[in-house]
Amino acid sequence: MSDDVIITADALRALTYEIIRHGGSEAAECQIVSDHLVDANLSGHDSHGVGIVPTYVINLQKNMLRPNTGVTNVRDDGAFLQFDGGKGYGQRVAGEAMSAAIERCRETGIVVATLKNAHHIGRVGAYGEMATAAGMISLHFVNVTDHFTIVAPHRGTDSRFGTNPVCIAMPTGNPAEPIILDMATSKVAMGKLRVADNAGRRLPDGIVIDADGAPSNDPGVMFREPRGALLPFAEHKGYGLALMAELLSGTLSGGGTIQPANERLDGIINTMTVIVLDPARLGDVGWILGEVDAMAAFAKASPPTDPDLPVLVPGEPERLSRAERNANGVPLDRESWQQLLSAGETLGLGRAEALAIAGVD
Ligand code: NAD
């Protein structure tokens, strides 16, 4: 039987809100960050959920995460927008940059927007969902800087990249069911190894190599010195995409890549380049969405190899997880739960108060 703590999304949101508030954030920022993190848990991405709060608290204390910092527009040139996140909460500054890009796209039909200096922006799909909610398409390329490297290039034996996520978001005929491809370019997101390590789980073959470059099943190789490395997905193809995400985001945003001549203070800074596109500028939206729906239905109609595992489209696993976890609660492994409570204590939120907020004994 699972030893997880099961907690409702509302209770987890309330607890996370309070921890962020104890970190000095004003109400609106607490709301944005706690909503985003709990939605990541609901979506099944525990790697980008509340389990990352302890890291945020460490970065707050090192002044590498600056509460109450909004995004600054540093270039406003028609379809080209550039933003500086000022090391503010990524969920806030990326959301603000994305809102501005969507707004501008209504005029220009296409926008290239960049963001630099954002503290960890979390689940990139959240920004793709903002685009599709506005009836737009978006493509996101993200790198991770200011941090030690964790992902090896194809054929390499040590790390040279972050997990560099890429997201492509496409509206469908049903506004509640966009197609959202949102993925790390590593075999799995780093946070999933943290969750596995906390839970004492071994990894399947082919996900990490140890510090000597040899295959390993131990997630701990990523958390002990000398560190091992995560492998890119799909060998040379994933490596190629990771490199392109690094270059498109790091260079065009002005935030820089993870190459070693650039400063690394051991924070988590994301840069992002996003292209927002209004499909209405290229064709009849009704026809485009009808074609998207027909193609998605065609893909999903392929008879599954396992009848219990039907073909899905990207974005669907997250919707299924949300439905299940909204109904049954969010499971958190005990270690992540303890780390979350300790993070609150570090900021002055007593354990008894935290447990009362969460409604957990
Ligand atoms: P994942 O492997 O769980 O999913 C990747 C994509 O595949 C998703 O779009 C999902 O909908 C789709 N998918 C999953 N199963 C599917 C199926 N059976 N059929 C069709 N599509 C399917 O995700 P991941 O690569 O582990 O990334 C997790 C999260 O981590 C993402 O939200 C990403 O943005 C985030 N991330 C953020 C950073 C950062 O620095 N901010 C870095 C890395 C990852």
Side-chain angles (χ1 to χ4, degrees):
M1 217 182 85
S2 163
D3 191 32
D4 290 346
V5 175
I6 309 288
I7 181 165
T8 67
D10 282 347
L12 196 54
R13 232 176 257 118
L15 174 59
T16 308
Y17 181 106
E18 272 309 303
I19 297 175
I20 303 298
R21 193 175 72 77
H22 277 74
S25 291
E26 68 202 17
E29 187 167 277
C30 298
Q31 198 71 56
I32 291 166
V33 177
S34 54
D35 283 354
H36 180 113
L37 294 177
V38 173
D39 187 58
N41 285 107
L42 284 170
S43 305
H45 294 296
D46 296 326
S47 55
H48 287 70
V50 301
I52 203 156
V53 168
T55 305
Y56 289 5
V57 170
I58 291 169
N59 289 348
L60 272 173
Q61 293 185 312
K62 291 196 284 194
N63 196 29
M64 293 194 319
L65 164 55
R66 305 198 176 129
N68 306 318
T69 303
V71 85
T72 306
N73 178 239
V74 292
R75 181 187 300 267
D76 184 341
D77 178 13
F80 297 91
L81 295 174
Q82 289 188 298
F83 297 94
D84 187 327
K87 300 200 176 181
Y89 275 101
Q91 290 83 357
R92 171 177 175 175
V93 295
E96 289 173 351
M98 198 61 205
S99 293
I102 290 168
E103 197 54 38
R104 178 61 52 87
C105 193
R106 292 187 208 282
E107 291 168 35
T108 56
I110 187 163
V111 167
V112 180
T114 68
L115 173 67
K116 66 179 177 182
N117 266 328
H119 188 263
H120 189 243
I121 64 173
R123 191 179 73 85
V124 182
Y127 312 107
E129 286 160 2
M130 289 176 71
T132 58
M136 291 176 187
I137 295 166
S138 63
L139 293 89
H140 308 248
F141 301 95
V142 178
N143 79 347
V144 189
T145 63
D146 204 30
H147 197 269
F148 53 83
T149 54
I150 51 184
V151 179
H154 180 59
R155 296 188 174 181
T157 54
D158 67 4
S159 63
R160 302 287 155 151
F161 293 100
T163 50
N164 293 7
V166 170
C167 172
I168 303 176
M170 187 85 188
T172 70
N174 180 348
E177 297 188 354
I179 299 177
I180 307 282
L181 177 66
D182 169 30
M183 57 181 207
T185 47
S186 51
K187 278 225 166 106
V188 298
M190 181 66 175
K192 290 190 175 154
L193 300 189
R194 172 173 41 75
V195 172
D197 195 42
N198 281 344
R201 282 199 299 271
R202 304 282 291 169
L203 298 172
D205 290 345
I207 291 185
V208 292
I209 51 177
D210 67 18
D212 300 320
S216 171
N217 301 94
D218 177 9
V221 298
M222 300 304 297
F223 304 102
R224 288 189 302 271
E225 296 286 353
R227 286 193 177 85
L230 255 167
L231 295 173
F233 83 94
E235 289 78 28
H236 57 288
K237 300 179 189 182
Y239 157 54
L241 196 55
L243 178 61
M244 289 307 186
E246 182 76 38
L247 298 178
L248 286 169
S249 58
T251 62
L252 300 182
S253 69
T257 68
I258 203 165
Q259 60 96 358
N262 288 331
E263 186 177 59
R264 278 189 207 156
L265 299 174
D266 199 21
I268 312 180
I269 297 296
N270 281 138
T271 76
M272 172 164 71
T273 290
V274 52
I275 300 167
V276 185
L277 175 64
D278 182 355
R281 302 292 280 260
L282 292 169
D284 175 69
V285 173
W287 181 84
I288 291 172
L289 298 185
E291 197 65 8
V292 170
D293 289 348
M295 185 60 223
F298 179 58
K300 280 168 60 83
S302 176
T305 46
D306 176 344
D308 292 332
L309 296 173
V311 174
L312 305 174
V313 291
E316 219 176 341
E318 287 74 11
R319 281 195 288 281
L320 292 169
S321 174
R322 280 178 199 146
E324 194 273 319
R325 290 185 170 190
N326 268 319
N328 301 321
V330 176
L332 290 178
D333 68 84
R334 292 267 161 198
E335 185 61 29
S336 300
W337 175 242
Q338 290 305 329
Q339 288 174 359
L340 182 64
L341 295 177
S342 301
E345 279 182 318
T346 306
L347 297 178
L349 177 65
R351 200 163 271 247
E353 195 187 341
L355 290 173
I357 292 166
V360 173
D361 299 331

PDB file of all heavy atoms in Angstrom, residues 262-288:
ATOM      1  N   ASN A 262      29.512  31.904 -18.967  1.00  0.00           N
ATOM      2  CA  ASN A 262      28.430  32.688 -18.362  1.00  0.00           C
ATOM      3  C   ASN A 262      28.316  32.381 -16.873  1.00  0.00           C
ATOM      4  O   ASN A 262      28.601  31.268 -16.433  1.00  0.00           O
ATOM      5  CB  ASN A 262      27.096  32.390 -19.066  1.00  0.00           C
ATOM      6  CG  ASN A 262      27.046  32.987 -20.455  1.00  0.00           C
ATOM      7  OD1 ASN A 262      27.687  34.017 -20.698  1.00  0.00           O
ATOM      8  ND2 ASN A 262      26.329  32.358 -21.366  1.00  0.00           N
ATOM      9  N   GLU A 263      27.868  33.414 -16.123  1.00  0.00           N
ATOM     10  CA  GLU A 263      27.795  33.323 -14.661  1.00  0.00           C
ATOM     11  C   GLU A 263      26.889  32.170 -14.221  1.00  0.00           C
ATOM     12  O   GLU A 263      25.826  31.957 -14.788  1.00  0.00           O
ATOM     13  CB  GLU A 263      27.195  34.639 -14.163  1.00  0.00           C
ATOM     14  CG  GLU A 263      27.176  34.796 -12.684  1.00  0.00           C
ATOM     15  CD  GLU A 263      26.622  36.174 -12.293  1.00  0.00           C
ATOM     16  OE1 GLU A 263      25.472  36.488 -12.662  1.00  0.00           O
ATOM     17  OE2 GLU A 263      27.342  36.901 -11.619  1.00  0.00           O
ATOM     18  N   ARG A 264      27.332  31.433 -13.222  1.00  0.00           N
ATOM     19  CA  ARG A 264      26.482  30.402 -12.593  1.00  0.00           C
ATOM     20  C   ARG A 264      26.514  30.599 -11.094  1.00  0.00           C
ATOM     21  O   ARG A 264      27.512  30.319 -10.458  1.00  0.00           O
ATOM     22  CB  ARG A 264      27.024  29.009 -12.897  1.00  0.00           C
ATOM     23  CG  ARG A 264      26.599  28.490 -14.238  1.00  0.00           C
ATOM     24  CD  ARG A 264      26.997  27.036 -14.369  1.00  0.00           C
ATOM     25  NE  ARG A 264      27.185  26.703 -15.765  1.00  0.00           N
ATOM     26  CZ  ARG A 264      27.948  25.707 -16.180  1.00  0.00           C
ATOM     27  NH1 ARG A 264      28.616  24.978 -15.317  1.00  0.00           N
ATOM     28  NH2 ARG A 264      28.040  25.446 -17.458  1.00  0.00           N
ATOM     29  N   LEU A 265      25.402  31.104 -10.549  1.00  0.00           N
ATOM     30  CA  LEU A 265      25.351  31.362  -9.110  1.00  0.00           C
ATOM     31  C   LEU A 265      24.608  30.247  -8.379  1.00  0.00           C
ATOM     32  O   LEU A 265      24.305  30.360  -7.211  1.00  0.00           O
ATOM     33  CB  LEU A 265      24.661  32.706  -8.850  1.00  0.00           C
ATOM     34  CG  LEU A 265      25.354  33.936  -9.455  1.00  0.00           C
ATOM     35  CD1 LEU A 265      24.506  35.179  -9.247  1.00  0.00           C
ATOM     36  CD2 LEU A 265      26.732  34.120  -8.840  1.00  0.00           C
ATOM     37  N   ASP A 266      24.254  29.175  -9.119  1.00  0.00           N
ATOM     38  CA  ASP A 266      23.528  28.053  -8.542  1.00  0.00           C
ATOM     39  C   ASP A 266      22.073  28.387  -8.241  1.00  0.00           C
ATOM     40  O   ASP A 266      21.490  27.913  -7.275  1.00  0.00           O
ATOM     41  CB  ASP A 266      24.242  27.527  -7.286  1.00  0.00           C
ATOM     42  CG  ASP A 266      23.793  26.118  -6.952  1.00  0.00           C
ATOM     43  OD1 ASP A 266      23.289  25.442  -7.865  1.00  0.00           O
ATOM     44  OD2 ASP A 266      23.917  25.714  -5.788  1.00  0.00           O
ATOM     45  N   GLY A 267      21.489  29.249  -9.065  1.00  0.00           N
ATOM     46  CA  GLY A 267      20.043  29.472  -9.006  1.00  0.00           C
ATOM     47  C   GLY A 267      19.378  28.634 -10.083  1.00  0.00           C
ATOM     48  O   GLY A 267      20.009  27.740 -10.657  1.00  0.00           O
ATOM     49  N   ILE A 268      18.088  28.887 -10.349  1.00  0.00           N
ATOM     50  CA  ILE A 268      17.438  28.272 -11.515  1.00  0.00           C
ATOM     51  C   ILE A 268      16.808  29.415 -12.289  1.00  0.00           C
ATOM     52  O   ILE A 268      15.748  29.935 -11.913  1.00  0.00           O
ATOM     53  CB  ILE A 268      16.314  27.275 -11.162  1.00  0.00           C
ATOM     54  CG1 ILE A 268      16.758  26.292 -10.108  1.00  0.00           C
ATOM     55  CG2 ILE A 268      15.850  26.539 -12.417  1.00  0.00           C
ATOM     56  CD1 ILE A 268      15.675  25.291  -9.747  1.00  0.00           C
ATOM     57  N   ILE A 269      17.488  29.822 -13.330  1.00  0.00           N
ATOM     58  CA  ILE A 269      16.979  30.906 -14.165  1.00  0.00           C
ATOM     59  C   ILE A 269      16.581  30.299 -15.509  1.00  0.00           C
ATOM     60  O   ILE A 269      17.364  29.582 -16.123  1.00  0.00           O
ATOM     61  CB  ILE A 269      18.062  31.991 -14.356  1.00  0.00           C
ATOM     62  CG1 ILE A 269      18.429  32.633 -13.009  1.00  0.00           C
ATOM     63  CG2 ILE A 269      17.606  33.040 -15.368  1.00  0.00           C
ATOM     64  CD1 ILE A 269      17.316  33.402 -12.330  1.00  0.00           C
ATOM     65  N   ASN A 270      15.358  30.573 -15.924  1.00  0.00           N
ATOM     66  CA  ASN A 270      14.898  30.143 -17.253  1.00  0.00           C
ATOM     67  C   ASN A 270      14.924  31.323 -18.209  1.00  0.00           C
ATOM     68  O   ASN A 270      14.586  32.445 -17.823  1.00  0.00           O
ATOM     69  CB  ASN A 270      13.450  29.638 -17.208  1.00  0.00           C
ATOM     70  CG  ASN A 270      13.302  28.228 -16.691  1.00  0.00           C
ATOM     71  OD1 ASN A 270      12.388  27.941 -15.918  1.00  0.00           O
ATOM     72  ND2 ASN A 270      14.149  27.313 -17.112  1.00  0.00           N
ATOM     73  N   THR A 271      15.324  31.055 -19.445  1.00  0.00           N
ATOM     74  CA  THR A 271      15.019  32.009 -20.510  1.00  0.00           C
ATOM     75  C   THR A 271      14.069  31.301 -21.462  1.00  0.00           C
ATOM     76  O   THR A 271      14.083  30.066 -21.581  1.00  0.00           O
ATOM     77  CB  THR A 271      16.265  32.514 -21.267  1.00  0.00           C
ATOM     78  OG1 THR A 271      16.715  31.505 -22.164  1.00  0.00           O
ATOM     79  CG2 THR A 271      17.404  32.895 -20.336  1.00  0.00           C
ATOM     80  N   MET A 272      13.224  32.083 -22.129  1.00  0.00           N
ATOM     81  CA  MET A 272      12.241  31.477 -23.037  1.00  0.00           C
ATOM     82  C   MET A 272      12.102  32.342 -24.280  1.00  0.00           C
ATOM     83  O   MET A 272      12.048  33.569 -24.184  1.00  0.00           O
ATOM     84  CB  MET A 272      10.877  31.350 -22.340  1.00  0.00           C
ATOM     85  CG  MET A 272       9.751  30.895 -23.279  1.00  0.00           C
ATOM     86  SD  MET A 272       8.267  30.294 -22.415  1.00  0.00           S
ATOM     87  CE  MET A 272       7.589  31.799 -21.750  1.00  0.00           C
ATOM     88  N   THR A 273      12.043  31.697 -25.433  1.00  0.00           N
ATOM     89  CA  THR A 273      11.603  32.363 -26.655  1.00  0.00           C
ATOM     90  C   THR A 273      10.285  31.723 -27.040  1.00  0.00           C
ATOM     91  O   THR A 273      10.184  30.497 -27.111  1.00  0.00           O
ATOM     92  CB  THR A 273      12.645  32.191 -27.782  1.00  0.00           C
ATOM     93  OG1 THR A 273      13.796  32.982 -27.443  1.00  0.00           O
ATOM     94  CG2 THR A 273      12.098  32.677 -29.127  1.00  0.00           C
ATOM     95  N   VAL A 274       9.279  32.573 -27.255  1.00  0.00           N
ATOM     96  CA  VAL A 274       7.957  32.049 -27.621  1.00  0.00           C
ATOM     97  C   VAL A 274       7.473  32.728 -28.894  1.00  0.00           C
ATOM     98  O   VAL A 274       7.667  33.932 -29.077  1.00  0.00           O
ATOM     99  CB  VAL A 274       6.953  32.199 -26.443  1.00  0.00           C
ATOM    100  CG1 VAL A 274       6.908  33.596 -25.906  1.00  0.00           C
ATOM    101  CG2 VAL A 274       5.541  31.798 -26.868  1.00  0.00           C
ATOM    102  N   ILE A 275       6.917  31.917 -29.765  1.00  0.00           N
ATOM    103  CA  ILE A 275       6.265  32.442 -30.965  1.00  0.00           C
ATOM    104  C   ILE A 275       4.768  32.222 -30.787  1.00  0.00           C
ATOM    105  O   ILE A 275       4.334  31.091 -30.543  1.00  0.00           O
ATOM    106  CB  ILE A 275       6.757  31.697 -32.229  1.00  0.00           C
ATOM    107  CG1 ILE A 275       8.268  31.887 -32.373  1.00  0.00           C
ATOM    108  CG2 ILE A 275       6.030  32.210 -33.483  1.00  0.00           C
ATOM    109  CD1 ILE A 275       8.910  30.970 -33.390  1.00  0.00           C
ATOM    110  N   VAL A 276       4.024  33.307 -30.831  1.00  0.00           N
ATOM    111  CA  VAL A 276       2.561  33.215 -30.728  1.00  0.00           C
ATOM    112  C   VAL A 276       1.995  33.535 -32.106  1.00  0.00           C
ATOM    113  O   VAL A 276       2.438  34.484 -32.756  1.00  0.00           O
ATOM    114  CB  VAL A 276       1.993  34.195 -29.675  1.00  0.00           C
ATOM    115  CG1 VAL A 276       0.488  33.996 -29.505  1.00  0.00           C
ATOM    116  CG2 VAL A 276       2.696  34.028 -28.336  1.00  0.00           C
ATOM    117  N   LEU A 277       1.029  32.733 -32.520  1.00  0.00           N
ATOM    118  CA  LEU A 277       0.531  32.827 -33.893  1.00  0.00           C
ATOM    119  C   LEU A 277      -0.992  32.792 -33.864  1.00  0.00           C
ATOM    120  O   LEU A 277      -1.574  31.915 -33.217  1.00  0.00           O
ATOM    121  CB  LEU A 277       1.086  31.614 -34.644  1.00  0.00           C
ATOM    122  CG  LEU A 277       0.677  31.350 -36.069  1.00  0.00           C
ATOM    123  CD1 LEU A 277       1.151  32.471 -36.970  1.00  0.00           C
ATOM    124  CD2 LEU A 277       1.295  30.033 -36.523  1.00  0.00           C
ATOM    125  N   ASP A 278      -1.614  33.747 -34.575  1.00  0.00           N
ATOM    126  CA  ASP A 278      -3.077  33.757 -34.681  1.00  0.00           C
ATOM    127  C   ASP A 278      -3.469  32.993 -35.949  1.00  0.00           C
ATOM    128  O   ASP A 278      -3.214  33.476 -37.061  1.00  0.00           O
ATOM    129  CB  ASP A 278      -3.570  35.208 -34.744  1.00  0.00           C
ATOM    130  CG  ASP A 278      -5.086  35.280 -34.797  1.00  0.00           C
ATOM    131  OD1 ASP A 278      -5.741  34.220 -34.889  1.00  0.00           O
ATOM    132  OD2 ASP A 278      -5.619  36.407 -34.745  1.00  0.00           O
ATOM    133  N   PRO A 279      -4.092  31.815 -35.804  1.00  0.00           N
ATOM    134  CA  PRO A 279      -4.394  31.017 -36.998  1.00  0.00           C
ATOM    135  C   PRO A 279      -5.338  31.734 -37.957  1.00  0.00           C
ATOM    136  O   PRO A 279      -5.341  31.452 -39.158  1.00  0.00           O
ATOM    137  CB  PRO A 279      -5.024  29.732 -36.431  1.00  0.00           C
ATOM    138  CG  PRO A 279      -5.465  30.069 -35.052  1.00  0.00           C
ATOM    139  CD  PRO A 279      -4.572  31.167 -34.564  1.00  0.00           C
ATOM    140  N   ALA A 280      -6.112  32.700 -37.431  1.00  0.00           N
ATOM    141  CA  ALA A 280      -7.073  33.417 -38.284  1.00  0.00           C
ATOM    142  C   ALA A 280      -6.361  34.188 -39.393  1.00  0.00           C
ATOM    143  O   ALA A 280      -6.967  34.532 -40.406  1.00  0.00           O
ATOM    144  CB  ALA A 280      -7.902  34.375 -37.427  1.00  0.00           C
ATOM    145  N   ARG A 281      -5.050  34.466 -39.219  1.00  0.00           N
ATOM    146  CA  ARG A 281      -4.316  35.208 -40.239  1.00  0.00           C
ATOM    147  C   ARG A 281      -3.868  34.323 -41.388  1.00  0.00           C
ATOM    148  O   ARG A 281      -3.323  34.802 -42.380  1.00  0.00           O
ATOM    149  CB  ARG A 281      -3.090  35.888 -39.605  1.00  0.00           C
ATOM    150  CG  ARG A 281      -3.467  36.830 -38.482  1.00  0.00           C
ATOM    151  CD  ARG A 281      -4.213  38.059 -38.988  1.00  0.00           C
ATOM    152  NE  ARG A 281      -3.294  39.030 -39.514  1.00  0.00           N
ATOM    153  CZ  ARG A 281      -2.873  40.111 -38.857  1.00  0.00           C
ATOM    154  NH1 ARG A 281      -3.359  40.377 -37.666  1.00  0.00           N
ATOM    155  NH2 ARG A 281      -2.021  40.942 -39.395  1.00  0.00           N
ATOM    156  N   LEU A 282      -4.064  33.015 -41.224  1.00  0.00           N
ATOM    157  CA  LEU A 282      -3.581  32.086 -42.254  1.00  0.00           C
ATOM    158  C   LEU A 282      -4.689  31.259 -42.895  1.00  0.00           C
ATOM    159  O   LEU A 282      -4.427  30.501 -43.827  1.00  0.00           O
ATOM    160  CB  LEU A 282      -2.519  31.147 -41.652  1.00  0.00           C
ATOM    161  CG  LEU A 282      -1.207  31.838 -41.270  1.00  0.00           C
ATOM    162  CD1 LEU A 282      -0.330  30.914 -40.437  1.00  0.00           C
ATOM    163  CD2 LEU A 282      -0.453  32.304 -42.501  1.00  0.00           C
ATOM    164  N   GLY A 283      -5.907  31.362 -42.397  1.00  0.00           N
ATOM    165  CA  GLY A 283      -6.981  30.570 -42.989  1.00  0.00           C
ATOM    166  C   GLY A 283      -8.263  30.716 -42.200  1.00  0.00           C
ATOM    167  O   GLY A 283      -8.315  31.458 -41.211  1.00  0.00           O
ATOM    168  N   ASP A 284      -9.271  29.985 -42.614  1.00  0.00           N
ATOM    169  CA  ASP A 284     -10.547  30.012 -41.904  1.00  0.00           C
ATOM    170  C   ASP A 284     -10.415  29.180 -40.625  1.00  0.00           C
ATOM    171  O   ASP A 284     -10.111  27.982 -40.676  1.00  0.00           O
ATOM    172  CB  ASP A 284     -11.629  29.420 -42.823  1.00  0.00           C
ATOM    173  CG  ASP A 284     -12.949  29.323 -42.090  1.00  0.00           C
ATOM    174  OD1 ASP A 284     -13.529  30.387 -41.798  1.00  0.00           O
ATOM    175  OD2 ASP A 284     -13.373  28.193 -41.763  1.00  0.00           O
ATOM    176  N   VAL A 285     -10.638  29.830 -39.488  1.00  0.00           N
ATOM    177  CA  VAL A 285     -10.385  29.153 -38.205  1.00  0.00           C
ATOM    178  C   VAL A 285     -11.290  27.925 -38.037  1.00  0.00           C
ATOM    179  O   VAL A 285     -10.849  26.884 -37.534  1.00  0.00           O
ATOM    180  CB  VAL A 285     -10.554  30.132 -37.020  1.00  0.00           C
ATOM    181  CG1 VAL A 285     -10.464  29.397 -35.687  1.00  0.00           C
ATOM    182  CG2 VAL A 285      -9.491  31.209 -37.074  1.00  0.00           C
ATOM    183  N   GLY A 286     -12.530  28.049 -38.485  1.00  0.00           N
ATOM    184  CA  GLY A 286     -13.454  26.904 -38.375  1.00  0.00           C
ATOM    185  C   GLY A 286     -12.902  25.691 -39.109  1.00  0.00           C
ATOM    186  O   GLY A 286     -12.917  24.561 -38.590  1.00  0.00           O
ATOM    187  N   TRP A 287     -12.388  25.921 -40.305  1.00  0.00           N
ATOM    188  CA  TRP A 287     -11.836  24.816 -41.084  1.00  0.00           C
ATOM    189  C   TRP A 287     -10.574  24.266 -40.410  1.00  0.00           C
ATOM    190  O   TRP A 287     -10.398  23.047 -40.288  1.00  0.00           O
ATOM    191  CB  TRP A 287     -11.508  25.280 -42.519  1.00  0.00           C
ATOM    192  CG  TRP A 287     -10.967  24.159 -43.352  1.00  0.00           C
ATOM    193  CD1 TRP A 287     -11.685  23.226 -44.035  1.00  0.00           C
ATOM    194  CD2 TRP A 287      -9.577  23.812 -43.538  1.00  0.00           C
ATOM    195  NE1 TRP A 287     -10.845  22.327 -44.641  1.00  0.00           N
ATOM    196  CE2 TRP A 287      -9.547  22.663 -44.354  1.00  0.00           C
ATOM    197  CE3 TRP A 287      -8.372  24.364 -43.096  1.00  0.00           C
ATOM    198  CZ2 TRP A 287      -8.348  22.059 -44.741  1.00  0.00           C
ATOM    199  CZ3 TRP A 287      -7.184  23.758 -43.481  1.00  0.00           C
ATOM    200  CH2 TRP A 287      -7.184  22.620 -44.297  1.00  0.00           C
ATOM    201  N   ILE A 288      -9.707  25.173 -39.952  1.00  0.00           N
ATOM    202  CA  ILE A 288      -8.442  24.717 -39.326  1.00  0.00           C
ATOM    203  C   ILE A 288      -8.746  23.846 -38.100  1.00  0.00           C
ATOM    204  O   ILE A 288      -8.203  22.744 -37.942  1.00  0.00           O
ATOM    205  CB  ILE A 288      -7.552  25.930 -38.929  1.00  0.00           C
ATOM    206  CG1 ILE A 288      -7.031  26.622 -40.191  1.00  0.00           C
ATOM    207  CG2 ILE A 288      -6.383  25.479 -38.041  1.00  0.00           C
ATOM    208  CD1 ILE A 288      -6.308  27.943 -39.931  1.00  0.00           C
TER     209      ILE A 288
END
